[in-house]
Amino acid sequence: MYCPKKDIKIGLIILFPLLAILFLFVYGFIAWSLRVSFTDWNSIIPNMKWVGFENYRYLFQSQRFQTDLRNTLYFTLFFIIICIIGGFFLSYLLYAKLKAESLFRTVYLFPLSLSFVVTGVLWRWIFNPEVGLNALLQMIGFKAEFGWFTSTYSIGGFNVALSSLIIAASWQYMGYTMAMFLAGLRSIPDQLIESAQIDGAGEWRIIQSIILPIIKPITFSAMIVLGHVSLKIFDLAYAMTGKGPAFVTDFPGLFMFETTFRGNHYSEGAAISIIMLLLVAVVIVPYLVSTFKSEDV
């Protein structure tokens, strides 16, 4: 459709202030953080002395940062697996004409309306040994004294204290994946399912050979979104467990917060933020590239 040059100029004039603000407060501050990460600014007084990759070298040699990266890896892995499998299961129950579907759909989606801070406070109370889940188990005769977010016990490098955060985050985002999968299931033609049933295909065969291949793009998109959320996790951990004993529930976001705003080590905090940005880019960029390629086909 032809668009006059005059209209293009007017559109650019209208968009220019918003684009300028966007570049200043997003890309401008990213560039500033990158610049600061190469300096020796580790006090309230700015010190822009160039030290190169010294801050990055220090971080990757830090035991705490290594623990943070390992915690992020485990958290992301289990968070995605639980949300994908649980979300598909819930969506399939609704797709299979579960009674009171609208009620259950609302219940499944309700946690998504909460902020991670509210979720963290709620689950901190649930896992509280004195008034939460352990207290409930003791009331019915079970002596449970497990410290959900205070335990330093590890299994294969995975600290069990992370399970509390994984449960809370999965509880909140499982409704999101449920909604995505339900939309995908509802888009599958009924004739396709009926034809498979006439040919003698069982329910599991239909799921494996028809449903899962069709919703594969949705699964991939959900994994990207969940991975992006998990890599930036901060508010849930801060409200629920903090860094925990021996950094068992620590994450790069918590490390950056304490380093920058409590320790006044601005260059180290900037280096952590750049590393977090790169981790998110590793997840997002391939997805954007594949999306643009599919649109061009």
Side-chain angles (χ1 to χ4, degrees):
M1 184 178 66
Y2 175 73
C3 185
K5 291 184 177 180
K6 182 180 179 181
D7 293 343
I8 296 177
K9 291 181 179 179
I10 293 175
L12 292 176
I13 292 174
I14 295 174
L15 290 176
F16 178 77
L18 296 177
L19 293 176
I21 294 174
L22 174 66
F23 276 91
L24 174 62
F25 288 97
V26 178
Y27 301 105
F29 285 161
I30 290 176
W32 174 251
S33 296
L34 181 63
R35 172 72 176 86
V36 172
S37 70
F38 292 119
T39 67
D40 192 31
W41 187 356
N42 289 310
S43 62
I44 298 179
I45 300 175
N47 181 4
M48 303 304 291
K49 178 184 177 182
W50 184 270
V51 295
F53 289 93
E54 184 65 25
N55 292 311
Y56 294 93
R57 184 188 66 81
Y58 169 78
L59 284 175
F60 283 104
Q61 291 179 349
S62 168
Q63 186 65 40
R64 178 176 180 178
F65 193 66
Q66 293 176 16
T67 302
D68 291 353
L69 294 178
R70 186 165 55 250
N71 289 345
T72 301
L73 174 63
Y74 283 117
F75 179 86
T76 302
L77 179 63
F78 287 100
F79 174 59
I80 292 177
I81 291 175
I82 294 174
C83 285
I84 293 295
I85 296 177
F88 177 76
F89 175 75
L90 295 178
S91 66
Y92 194 77
L93 288 178
L94 297 179
Y95 175 70
K97 309 301 181 183
L98 181 70
K99 291 183 179 180
E101 175 188 339
S102 59
L103 173 63
F104 282 104
R105 187 170 61 246
T106 303
V107 172
Y108 295 157
L109 284 172
F110 173 74
L112 196 61
S113 65
L114 304 176
S115 69
F116 261 146
V117 174
V118 175
T119 300
V121 173
L122 171 65
W123 282 92
R124 182 180 180 87
W125 180 87
I126 292 175
F127 288 132
N128 190 305
E130 297 180 358
V131 298
L133 183 61
N134 286 344
L136 178 62
L137 292 175
Q138 291 177 9
M139 289 176 60
I140 60 178
F142 292 94
K143 294 184 178 181
E145 296 293 342
F146 181 71
W148 286 92
F149 42 79
T150 59
S151 174
T152 57
Y153 181 70
S154 297
I155 303 175
F158 172 73
N159 194 286
V160 294
L162 279 177
S163 62
S164 60
L165 290 171
I166 294 171
I167 292 172
S170 301
W171 173 80
Q172 179 158 349
Y173 267 85
M174 200 178 298
Y176 168 77
T177 54
M178 179 277 297
M180 293 187 66
F181 284 133
L182 184 60
L185 291 172
R186 291 280 167 80
S187 66
I188 300 175
D190 293 335
Q191 297 84 350
L192 189 61
I193 303 296
E194 292 172 357
S195 299
Q197 291 174 341
I198 293 173
D199 291 338
E203 188 171 13
W204 171 245
R205 186 64 178 176
I206 293 174
I207 294 175
Q208 185 180 21
S209 302
I210 298 178
I211 294 179
L212 291 181
I214 291 178
I215 66 172
K216 185 177 180 180
I218 297 177
T219 305
F220 181 66
S221 299
M223 291 176 63
I224 294 297
V225 173
L226 294 173
H228 178 249
V229 170
S230 66
L231 290 174
K232 299 193 306 177
I233 194 70
F234 167 77
D235 38 5
L236 177 65
Y238 185 81
M240 186 173 173
T241 65
K243 61 187 177 183
F247 310 120
V248 293
T249 57
D250 196 30
F251 292 93
L254 286 170
F255 191 12
M256 180 187 67
F257 173 77
E258 291 189 354
T259 298
T260 305
F261 300 106
R262 292 181 178 176
N264 297 324
H265 298 292
Y266 297 99
S267 59
E268 293 177 15
I272 298 173
S273 68
I274 295 300
I275 294 173
M276 293 176 62
L277 177 65
L278 293 177
L279 290 176
V280 173
V282 168
V283 174
I284 296 298
V285 171
Y287 172 71
L288 294 177
V289 171
S290 64
T291 301
F292 290 143
K293 286 184 178 180
S294 62
E295 290 179 353
D296 292 338
V297 174

